[in-house]
Amino acid sequence: MAADAHGTGGGGGHGFTAELSRKGPIAVVALSGELDHDGPQPLRDAIGQALAGGAARVLVDCTGLEFCDSTGLNTLLQGRLDALAAGSTLELAGIRPAVARLFEITGAGTLFTVHDTLPEEAG
């Protein structure tokens, strides 16, 4: 299905994008580039649109995410809380080692369901 939302963040030149697509009750937010203080808004928008559209499950595809700082982490944590408040879940897939390290150091990884790859039912 075509993307419902596509955004580019920040002026850092790294071209962060968050692209939303749907497969039934599952929303997939595909991230690309560097998620940092310059541009978390596309991710906020995509998660908000997924939840407003009634997604029972939001899967954040991190395979294209090259970097994530504390602003990006906080955006994902807030997205998780928003999903829970909407009766949904927010899950992560395909986290690269450098990004996974942030989740490990902060302990935030224990708050998310994390998949090695995007689950088949979402692809």
Side-chain angles (χ1 to χ4, degrees):
M1 178 177 270
D4 298 316
H6 181 97
T8 303
H14 47 68
F16 173 72
T17 62
E19 188 171 333
L20 174 63
S21 61
R22 298 286 303 247
K23 185 169 183 181
I26 301 172
V28 177
V29 179
L31 306 183
S32 179
E34 296 181 5
L35 176 54
D36 59 23
H37 68 281
D38 285 333
Q41 196 60 47
L43 176 56
R44 286 187 192 118
D45 292 345
I47 293 170
Q49 288 179 20
L51 296 174
R57 188 174 172 198
V58 179
L59 290 169
V60 180
D61 181 358
C62 299
T63 55
L65 185 61
E66 299 167 9
F67 173 81
C68 182
D69 72 1
S70 61
T71 301
L73 177 60
N74 283 324
T75 303
L76 289 166
L77 289 167
Q78 184 61 55
R80 176 186 167 274
L81 292 175
D82 293 345
L84 291 173
S88 182
T89 62
L90 188 139
E91 304 170 22
L92 307 175
I95 299 176
R96 292 181 180 197
V99 176
R101 182 78 174 128
L102 175 65
F103 285 87
E104 179 185 323
I105 290 170
T106 62
T110 62
L111 299 174
F112 293 93
T113 298
V114 180
H115 306 275
D116 290 336
T117 60
L118 194 63
E120 188 174 310
E121 65 269 21

